[in-house]
Amino acid sequence: MLLDVLSRYLGSIEAEVRKLEGSYVERYEEEIIAANRVNLRIRVRFPSGHMLELNEAIVGEGDHTRHLGYRYHFQDGENNVVFRYDNTPHFPSLDNFPHHKHLPDRVASVEQPSIVNAIKEARQLSEQAKPNSNSNM
């Protein structure tokens, strides 16, 4: 049986994804590895043509969660990176190593973001963009 802390965590993410009105959820996969470990994979297409792909490996420890790995990738309708948060250890000189954010022109040191905040950021940026006429294909 999945730990309560992981069930609540997954429920909060599902609730946030459901708020993405007009978007198409291409993938929503919760892979239960063990009672205390879950892998999460989500891909959402926005009416603007933008795509958000979320990947996490999470463990439950007592009353909190810990991320083994995460990647929150958001790109425009032309497949250009808008942002990508991850903790791949390839920028050791950044202050918050291994946490960082890829932007179109640089990589920035950041605190580990929450997946909910990444969803909200993507939604806001997508709403500011013009709808893509090819997004209904």
Side-chain angles (χ1 to χ4, degrees):
M1 182 171 177
L2 194 61
L3 291 177
D4 286 344
V5 67
L6 288 175
S7 292
R8 286 190 306 273
Y9 180 76
L10 294 173
S12 70
I13 295 166
E14 182 179 352
E16 197 63 37
V17 170
R18 288 182 184 274
K19 293 178 187 177
L20 299 175
E21 295 178 17
S23 298
Y24 174 69
V25 179
E26 290 183 0
R27 175 187 222 182
Y28 191 102
E29 180 180 329
E30 298 173 357
E31 180 183 17
I32 299 170
I33 306 297
N36 68 336
R37 176 156 177 208
V38 174
N39 290 344
L40 182 63
R41 294 176 198 87
I42 302 170
R43 182 180 302 133
V44 178
R45 296 271 176 192
F46 292 85
S48 61
H50 287 72
M51 187 267 299
L52 176 64
E53 191 165 72
L54 308 160
N55 298 283
E56 291 187 326
I58 313 120
V59 293
E61 297 177 332
D63 63 350
H64 68 279
T65 59
R66 180 172 58 89
H67 290 76
L68 300 176
Y70 67 89
R71 179 178 170 273
Y72 312 141
H73 176 87
F74 185 60
Q75 67 186 38
D76 66 19
E78 303 296 320
N79 299 325
N80 299 305
V81 171
V82 176
F83 70 75
R84 180 175 61 250
Y85 293 97
D86 68 71
N87 65 343
T88 302
H90 52 213
F91 293 102
S93 63
L94 294 177
D95 290 341
N96 290 316
F97 176 79
H99 309 288
H100 58 277
K101 181 179 185 180
H102 296 261
L103 296 164
D105 60 348
R106 64 188 169 91
V107 175
S109 179
V110 296
E111 297 287 331
Q112 179 177 344
S114 76
I115 191 171
V116 169
N117 286 342
I119 293 168
K120 289 177 180 178
E121 181 179 355
R123 181 177 61 222
Q124 180 182 28
L125 292 170
S126 176
E127 288 171 352
Q128 294 171 0
K130 293 181 180 178
N132 182 343
S133 61
N134 295 327
S135 64
N136 294 328
M137 289 186 187

